Amino acid sequence: GAAQLAWSLGLNKTLIELRLDINAITDLGALELAAALYSHPILEKLSLSGNAIGDKGMKAFVKILANNRTLLELNLRSNRVTDECMKDILRLLKRQGKLEFLDLRDNQLSEENNSVIIRTIDQLDVMRGQSLYGVEKLASEVKAQNDRIFCLEAELSKVTTDRISVGNQIPSLEEQLAFFSYLHDLEIDAIQKASFSIDISAFYRTEIVRAVAAIRDDFNRLSKMEKAELAEHYRTDIETKHKTTNTAENSLTSGMSRQSLLELINVISQMSVSYTHLQGEHIAALKEHQEFAARLNMIKKKNAILINDQDMEIRELEASIMYLTDQYCQTKLKNAYLQVEVNTYRNLIQMKCPH
């Protein structure tokens, strides 16, 4: 009767719960029912308490449930399972991921093995909880690292923008400094030709030397193409300014006052201080940019290590899947052989007892 029921169960695709408690099902019927679990897609509860299922039937259920992903409850209470199946039961507990309820009470298991089963279940619950905690912790760390990378990229973008802005201001300041230097030369000539006795050559010399040194440092940082473009720009600019300053030279030699000369000196001093301040901000921005770049590289390395660890875990899972697939194929082949034998026995029985 269990064999016929198992055969019909293989054709059913809707049954969720099957209870066959307190019958006379033996190991042979248990083998048939276990084989039927291969092809049934949604069976979740199977109760076989109060029968005569022994070690062979228990081992059959262990082999089937190693690859089954639908059965949630298996009740084998009050059967004839002995300590010989202890290793198979422990293997089932460690490998089966969907089984939530397994009842083996009132069998022929010793008290010591019952205690071992209980301890194994408790250890598996602890390990499962730790694994879930580790996965959640790793996910939170990865999220925090990604948020930090996003913040660093935003800061790096801001520093780069500020650096470009400062770099755009440098050519304008250099042009102004060159123009004031040219005016300074004209003023020196005008003062020497005039009757003033003011000696300001030391002040001008110090400021010009410092400004020229700063310009030379910035000029040395440029590439060859940028230097050529800058030289051509200054050449055309100086030619135009020579033309526009001829009249200024005549007016300076004819009637420059001492008050206008002092105002011009103040303007040059203010421009020099402003240029020095901008140059300091430019250097500080470069240092900050380098620090952010170093921190970004360090975070990228940490993320690479985390990705490698995850890849190793994925490879281990793939190897486990391949192993389980191989076991499934072998068990399916054995099932086919058993099905052929069963059909042969049935034919023999029908031939002997046609009615």
Side-chain angles (χ1 to χ4, degrees):
Q4 293 296 324
L5 184 60
W7 178 79
S8 63
L9 186 62
L11 302 177
N12 181 274
K13 306 299 180 183
T14 59
L15 189 65
I16 297 177
E17 183 175 356
L18 176 62
R19 294 186 176 274
L20 298 174
D21 302 329
I22 315 176
N23 286 283
I25 299 174
T26 61
D27 286 339
L28 182 60
L31 290 173
E32 295 288 347
L33 290 172
L37 291 178
Y38 260 132
S39 58
H40 202 281
I42 62 172
L43 187 66
E44 296 180 354
K45 298 179 180 181
L46 177 61
S47 181
L48 296 170
S49 65
N51 286 283
I53 300 173
D55 295 336
K56 292 182 179 179
M58 184 64 203
K59 290 181 179 180
F61 280 114
V62 169
K63 291 180 180 179
I64 297 300
L65 292 177
N67 297 312
N68 183 276
R69 291 294 180 269
T70 59
L71 194 66
L72 300 178
E73 295 185 8
L74 177 61
N75 187 354
L76 294 175
R77 181 176 181 177
S78 299
N79 280 278
R80 300 176 182 177
V81 180
T82 66
D83 293 337
E84 184 180 349
C85 294
M86 190 62 191
K87 292 183 179 180
D88 299 294
I89 294 173
L90 294 179
R91 189 183 308 113
L92 172 64
L93 293 175
K94 293 179 180 179
R95 294 180 59 181
Q96 174 63 20
K98 294 289 290 184
L99 192 65
E100 297 178 354
F101 177 83
L102 176 63
D103 194 347
L104 293 174
R105 291 176 294 174
D106 301 329
N107 277 274
Q108 297 178 12
L109 295 171
S110 63
E111 291 296 331
E112 181 181 358
N113 284 331
N114 284 328
S115 300
V116 171
I117 292 174
I118 294 173
R119 287 198 302 269
T120 303
I121 293 174
D122 293 338
Q123 291 175 0
L124 290 174
D125 290 339
V126 172
M127 292 173 61
R128 189 178 294 109
Q130 292 176 351
S131 178
L132 293 175
Y133 174 76
V135 171
E136 293 175 355
K137 183 178 180 182
L138 181 61
S140 62
E141 290 179 356
V142 171
K143 183 178 181 300
Q145 292 290 345
N146 290 333
D147 294 340
R148 183 58 179 167
I149 290 174
F150 178 77
C151 294
L152 290 175
E153 288 178 349
E155 294 177 0
L156 181 61
S157 177
K158 182 178 181 301
V159 171
T160 304
T161 304
D162 295 339
R163 180 184 177 185
I164 293 173
S165 176
V166 173
N168 293 333
Q169 294 177 5
I170 290 176
S172 176
L173 293 174
E174 289 175 348
E175 292 179 1
Q176 295 178 9
L177 184 60
F179 176 72
F180 285 127
S181 178
Y182 179 73
L183 290 180
H184 164 71
D185 294 336
L186 295 179
E187 292 168 0
I188 291 296
D189 294 338
I191 290 172
Q192 290 177 353
K193 294 177 181 180
S195 60
F196 296 115
S197 60
I198 302 173
D199 186 15
I200 58 173
S201 60
F203 171 80
Y204 278 119
R205 191 179 300 111
T206 303
E207 292 295 321
I208 290 175
V209 168
R210 186 163 61 85
V212 169
I215 293 172
R216 185 178 291 114
D217 292 338
D218 292 334
F219 187 78
N220 290 332
R221 296 192 186 99
L222 301 176
S223 62
K224 293 182 179 181
M225 185 178 294
E226 291 173 339
K227 289 180 180 179
E229 293 176 357
L230 190 60
E232 180 65 21
H233 173 72
Y234 281 142
R235 187 182 64 78
T236 56
D237 189 50
I238 289 173
E239 289 178 358
T240 56
K241 288 178 179 178
H242 270 298
K243 295 178 182 179
T244 57
T245 53
N246 287 331
T247 55
E249 184 179 1
N250 295 329
S251 62
L252 286 171
T253 55
S254 59
M256 179 179 287
S257 64
R258 182 174 181 179
Q259 184 66 29
S260 62
L261 182 60
L262 293 176
E263 291 177 356
L264 186 58
I265 292 172
N266 292 330
V267 171
I268 293 173
S269 300
Q270 294 176 0
M271 292 300 297
S272 177
V273 171
S274 177
Y275 174 76
T276 303
H277 179 68
L278 288 175
Q279 192 175 18
E281 291 182 351
H282 176 65
I283 294 173
L286 285 176
K287 290 181 179 179
E288 189 174 359
H289 172 71
Q290 292 174 356
E291 291 177 357
F292 282 129
R295 290 163 64 186
L296 182 61
N297 290 331
M298 184 179 298
I299 292 175
K300 287 182 178 179
K301 290 180 180 178
K302 291 182 179 179
N303 283 339
I305 293 173
L306 292 175
I307 290 172
N308 290 332
D309 293 340
Q310 292 177 354
D311 290 339
M312 290 180 64
E313 293 180 0
I314 290 172
R315 286 194 292 269
E316 291 177 356
L317 290 175
E318 289 176 349
S320 178
I321 290 171
M322 291 178 63
Y323 173 77
L324 293 175
T325 304
D326 182 60
Q327 292 294 321
Y328 170 75
C329 293
Q330 292 179 4
T331 309
K332 192 173 183 181
L333 182 61
K334 292 179 182 179
N335 183 35
Y337 290 153
L338 291 174
Q339 190 67 35
V340 171
E341 293 179 0
V342 170
N343 291 333
T344 303
Y345 290 143
R346 287 176 181 171
N347 293 330
L348 291 174
I349 293 171
Q350 292 177 0
M351 289 175 64
K352 291 180 179 179
C353 302
H355 301 292

